[in-house]
Amino acid sequence: MSHTLSAPTLAADQHYEDLRGLWAELEAALALLLGAPLQVQNFAARLRQLGDWLQELVAHDSDAALYLMFQLAADSAAGYSASHALVTATLCQVLAPELELPAHERQALVSAAFTMNIGMTRLQDQLALQREPPTAAQRAQIERHPLESQALLVRLFVDDPLWLEAVGAHHPQGKAPAPLAQLAAGQRLARILAGVDRYAAMLSPRKSRSGRSATDSVRVIVGSEPAWGDEVGYALVRRVGLCPPGTLVRLDNGDTAVVLRRSSQPLMPLVARVLDASGQPFKTPALHDTARGAPRIEAALARSALAQRITPLTLALLGVYVGRSRPAPAAARREAPAS
């Protein structure tokens, strides 16, 4: 059953703008730390403060967090390094309960996600805007960056061994030697970070390629590896969903919709229909709970092919709806249900 999305109230609109502003401030603060880390006093403490800030935003409403985060990932490639770090850290924060990580491992994982590429921040921003393949010199720096990032963090007086190991080993060679629960803590965090990093990178557009759909990104991770090699990918499916908030989907009646909230079923979220089967925008987005009946999701879509047809005003309206919706208390659910 569908109904038209009503105009937001002034209070709801302000709430969404405040929430979006907090995410923008968090990204800006992270960009400052990553852009000139040696000029930052008490770098480790400042970075952990950003981790606490992120934890609060996700705890406030994980669906709104994912919606805003995926919009961020799909936008301009300018400032890619900070944007990608924030997306990866957000996904790690959301995944931590699913993987039953204790608090100190979650904190180390999020810190590592923020700083995994700190040794090549400028190069990463350059590559995001570069249409040509990396040069030999750039490829060499890419190969070195985990250990260079780790070494830079040591210079910045980071002394958490889990944080440092996760950064230094976040591009592991070969398949996981054992299930996550059987790995040492540092190896476990590195494996989780590697999977989430790949997923987030495939979602984000660069000049040399468009971002993939969320579903395609998960499929690349969940492949032909042994069962324990798929743990991060399956955790992403369970916790984030095959079609997370903020992503585009095609419905089986031909309409295009934006996912707003997850449900307990990975392929049946709450969506807002924004384009009809001929590609024309609806005058007002129409809410539809796919868990309650047709039309259902047929495929996830990469944003790049359709973003120009969806106006910023429409995306803002959808964001207001997500921001004003009241999720069920966390204790009452494992997944965020459609509201």
Side-chain angles (χ1 to χ4, degrees):
M1 185 176 208
S2 303
H3 66 272
T4 301
L5 189 63
S6 60
T9 64
L10 217 59
D13 186 42
Q14 185 60 51
H15 176 73
Y16 170 69
E17 289 300 328
D18 290 347
L19 192 58
R20 189 171 66 169
L22 288 172
W23 278 92
E25 287 175 21
L26 176 56
E27 184 190 22
L30 178 61
L32 284 174
L33 292 188
L34 298 181
L38 293 173
Q39 299 176 25
V40 177
Q41 292 187 344
N42 301 317
F43 177 90
R46 294 277 300 278
L47 202 285
R48 287 192 178 100
Q49 287 177 344
L50 297 190
D52 292 341
W53 188 358
L54 175 63
Q55 184 179 14
E56 290 178 9
L57 287 173
V58 171
H60 172 72
D61 184 345
S62 60
D63 280 302
L66 289 168
Y67 180 90
L68 287 162
M69 183 268 297
F70 276 103
Q71 295 297 331
L72 184 67
D75 282 341
S76 170
Y80 175 87
S81 187
S83 174
H84 175 65
L86 180 56
V87 168
T88 307
T90 302
L91 289 168
C92 286
Q93 178 67 51
V94 171
L95 275 187
E98 182 69 31
L99 297 172
E100 299 181 345
L101 297 182
H104 71 284
E105 288 190 20
R106 177 203 56 76
Q107 184 180 63
L109 178 62
V110 170
S111 296
F114 277 145
T115 56
M116 61 188 170
N117 299 321
I118 195 171
M120 55 174 257
T121 297
R122 290 183 183 176
L123 175 60
Q124 194 175 33
D125 285 343
Q126 179 182 338
L127 290 172
L129 298 171
Q130 180 175 307
R131 295 185 184 278
E132 304 78 19
T135 64
Q138 288 174 331
R139 284 197 300 271
Q141 188 176 350
I142 293 169
E143 289 294 323
R144 297 193 307 267
H145 88 269
L147 293 180
E148 289 186 349
S149 294
Q150 185 186 61
L152 179 54
L153 290 172
V154 171
R155 289 181 63 191
L156 293 166
F157 304 103
V158 171
D159 58 4
D160 181 340
L162 294 183
W163 177 353
L164 292 172
E165 184 173 355
V167 168
H170 78 277
H171 282 299
Q173 300 299 315
K175 298 175 181 178
L180 289 175
Q182 295 178 19
L183 297 177
Q187 287 183 300
R188 178 166 55 250
L189 298 188
R191 285 285 169 176
I192 295 168
L193 182 56
V196 176
D197 179 26
R198 288 175 62 204
Y199 174 78
M202 285 184 285
L203 284 171
S204 302
R206 304 178 192 174
K207 290 296 183 184
S208 59
R209 61 153 173 80
S210 299
R212 299 188 189 213
S213 74
T215 304
D216 287 343
S217 300
V218 169
R219 283 177 180 152
V220 170
I221 298 171
V222 180
S224 57
E225 298 182 8
W228 59 77
D230 296 341
E231 284 182 274
V232 175
Y234 285 127
L236 282 165
V237 171
R238 289 193 303 270
R239 198 71 179 184
V240 179
L242 284 170
C243 302
T247 58
L248 286 171
V249 293
R250 182 174 64 247
L251 304 180
D252 57 18
N253 69 346
D255 288 354
T256 298
V258 178
V259 177
L260 299 183
R261 286 196 173 274
R262 297 164 291 169
S263 76
S264 59
Q265 302 175 73
L267 269 174
M268 295 187 181
L270 177 71
V271 305
R273 295 154 68 179
V274 292
L275 302 176
D276 64 22
S278 64
Q280 296 304 307
F282 288 108
K283 187 173 181 180
T284 306
L287 291 179
H288 174 63
D289 187 348
T290 61
R292 295 186 179 182
R296 294 275 169 74
I297 290 176
E298 184 175 79
L301 303 173
R303 179 186 169 110
S304 56
L306 294 165
Q308 69 276 13
R309 299 186 196 170
I310 303 172
T311 67
L313 183 60
T314 294
L315 290 174
L317 176 63
L318 300 182
V320 170
Y321 178 83
V322 174
R324 76 184 178 187
S325 299
R326 293 174 179 250
R333 56 175 169 83
R334 185 179 181 85
E335 296 285 344
S339 49

